[in-house]
Amino acid sequence: MSPFKVLVVDDERDFLESLVRRLQRRSVDAAGVTSGEAALEHLERQRADVVVLDVKMPGMNGIDVLRRIKQLYPEVEVILLTGHASVESGVEGLALQAFDYLIKPVKLDELIERIMEAFDRRKVVSELAGTPQPADS
Amino acid sequence: MNRPYANLSRRMTIVALLVALLPLNGLGLSLYYYYNYANTQALKEELRIRALNRTTAIELFLAERTALLEVLAHGARLTQLSDESELANLLSIMNRRSWSFVDLGIIDKNGQHRAYVGPYMLKEQNYRAAPWFQQAMQKGVYVSDVFLGYRQVPHFVIAVKHGNGADGWVLRATIDSDVFNRLVRTAQVGKSGDAYILDRQGRLQTPSRRGGKVLDPAPVDVRAVSPGSSVVERTTPDGRQVLTAFSWLGHGNWLLVIDQDPKEVLGTLNLARNVELAVLGLASLFIIIAVLILVRLFIRQLQTNDSERAAIDAQLAHSARLVSLGRMAAGVAHEINNPLAAISELGGEMQDILVPSELAKLEEGEVVGENLARIQNQVDRARGVTHRMLKFARRMEPHMEGIEINEVLRESYSFVEKEALFNNIKVQLDLDPGLPLIKSDRAQLQQVFLNLIDNALDAVGQGGRVRVVSRAEGPWLTVRVSDSGPGVPADLAGRIFDPFFTTKDPGQGTGLGLSISHSIMQRLGGSLELESQPGQGATFVARLPNQPPDTP
């Protein structure tokens, strides 16, 4: 299994389940939930390094969830994934420090690549934040 | 000018003219008639007073002579007066002071001359039957009407009786007609003024300038003339409008008549009236001209405003259509993308499971593997479509971004490249590679460029040439689209940016393209102009401010 945990949030169950299984098959430690509320609950119980988040969902939408996650777990990286490509939501998402903004359907390899990049950044950020920085490094 | 404007223009003109001209001309005409009335009244009064004055003078003339004859008749003895040398002596004394007696005669109760002095041989005449003699015998004093007498010369006499009853005798004198006529004529004024005396039968007692000789009937109905003095307006038999003053003389037998042509006398009085008329006419003319000019200006401004508003409306409607089209495209793309993503993952998962070694175990494993690959290809294809739709939707939303003009031009041209190819039109793109990035709205610019290139292709037709040039010129980036077509006639050049103006056949163009392009360029801070020499093709010049993308 990968050294990082991924949480996929999407109300589209067919898509969600298949994507999670495929990620796992590629040795990515992935889990899936079908709503924003469930995602926050999940994060309470279990750590995740990268969250792949659908923007348009019933109940809490992706932007709200993103805002909440960044409040509670600022070190978690979020990749927004949506069928809609309105400029506003993209811009807003990036302003709320989402790592990236991808439009469905996205190729699995591309998604994994972005997830790994996001994890790399998360590592750097948490190292900088977690350990006191030596003066000479 | 089309119908609604023509109607409005006509209505405004009519109302404005009515409002301005009616009161003015009403006032003017009232003044005109007032002047006329007042002048005529003044003239009538003047005429009446003149008639009264003359009447008094004539009465005085007659009264003096009658009194003199009475003094003679009552003061002298008959024997003394019967002596003709004595009588001749009296006549010469009387005439020494212009008393205007022509002759004197003493007539006995039988109408026979006792004595006579004068230029005529009347000694033997008997006057018993003469009206004046009978009247004098009855009344004592009598001034006769003009009559012909024995001499067949018109004259009148004053007769005074001496003594009472049938036994008296009569002293008779003929008055010099010339002197009397002159006295009456002094009432004439001007070249056409006339003054004469009529008897109760309407016969002239003194000559009239126009009416004829003494004793001719005058064209006046004497019986209709009211007593005392009066002034009437009447038409003479020769068709002239005259004012006529009537005044009866004291003894009631004679009527003094004064005719006056009002035009002749009113000339100076009417000057004021005529000046007033001229001022009125000039003022009306100025008002008409001013109204016409103002209405014209107003209508022209209204037309300009209307067409500007129409352009804005059209532009807004167009933008609104594009925005809603974009929203719809985005909505559709979203709805399709979600199932598409699911299909992609589900198919992909199957591919993950059915790796080539697994497929080999299946009876038709090759077909299954092939189909799974094809599912991914079809998903990719659909993805291409929806992503283009989203891209389009994004473009429909107005926003300013960093833009490379040449790229927008190339992209715009790519839309019509095929059309140019089919029509064998040679399109030359002469783009300056050194152009800076500018901040502008990509979608709107594309709309403008597409419109200009499209118009150019339409203008040149088969085998023509179109040239697109981009350059940096001072504070502007300019794009020139030239064609080898017939150009734009000078009389239409001013209207091509008007909304709904089109030279294309009905159904071929809305007439909005250039109008919308023009307003887009203005909104982007630039401009769109036409440079056209008839016969040399048209060149449209679009200018954009050379504004770097990082400016706010």
Side-chain angles (χ1 to χ4, degrees), chain B residues 18 20 30 43 48 159 258 295 346 353 396 403 435-436 450 518:
Chain B
L18 281 182
S30 317
L43 181 59
R48 198 176 68 82
I258 303 179
V295 167
L346 295 168
I353 296 164
M396 292 310 111
I403 283 175
L435 291 184
L450 192 56
H518 188 255

Side-chain angles (χ1 to χ4, degrees), chain A residues 1-2 5 13 22 39 41 45 48 52 60 63 76 79 84 90 93 96 107-108 111 114 119 122 125:
Chain A
M1 275 293 156
S2 62
K5 288 174 179 291
R13 198 173 284 272
R22 289 186 80 193
E41 240 171 69
R45 282 182 278 107
V52 177
M60 263 182 110
I63 299 293
V76 174
I79 294 171
H84 201 290
L96 289 169
K107 283 197 162 55
L108 186 63
L111 181 61
R114 302 303 289 156
F119 178 66
R122 182 207 177 309
V125 170

Side-chain angles (χ1 to χ4, degrees), chain B residues 305-327:
Chain B
N305 291 355
D306 283 356
S307 63
E308 275 168 12
R309 204 170 50 219
I312 290 166
D313 287 351
Q315 168 68 29
L316 284 178
H318 186 76
S319 303
R321 259 202 317 280
L322 286 181
V323 167
S324 66
L325 192 63
R327 293 234 169 88

Side-chain angles (χ1 to χ4, degrees), chain A residues 4 15 25 52 54 65 79-81 90 94 97 100 113 115 117-118 120-121 123 128 130 133:
Chain A
F4 53 85
F15 171 77
R25 200 166 283 124
V52 177
D54 188 15
V65 178
I79 294 171
L80 291 172
L81 182 61
L94 295 178
Q97 293 173 316
D100 205 350
E113 204 173 295
I115 289 173
E117 281 170 23
D120 284 346
R121 189 170 85 161
K123 269 198 302 189
L128 287 176
Q133 254 182 296

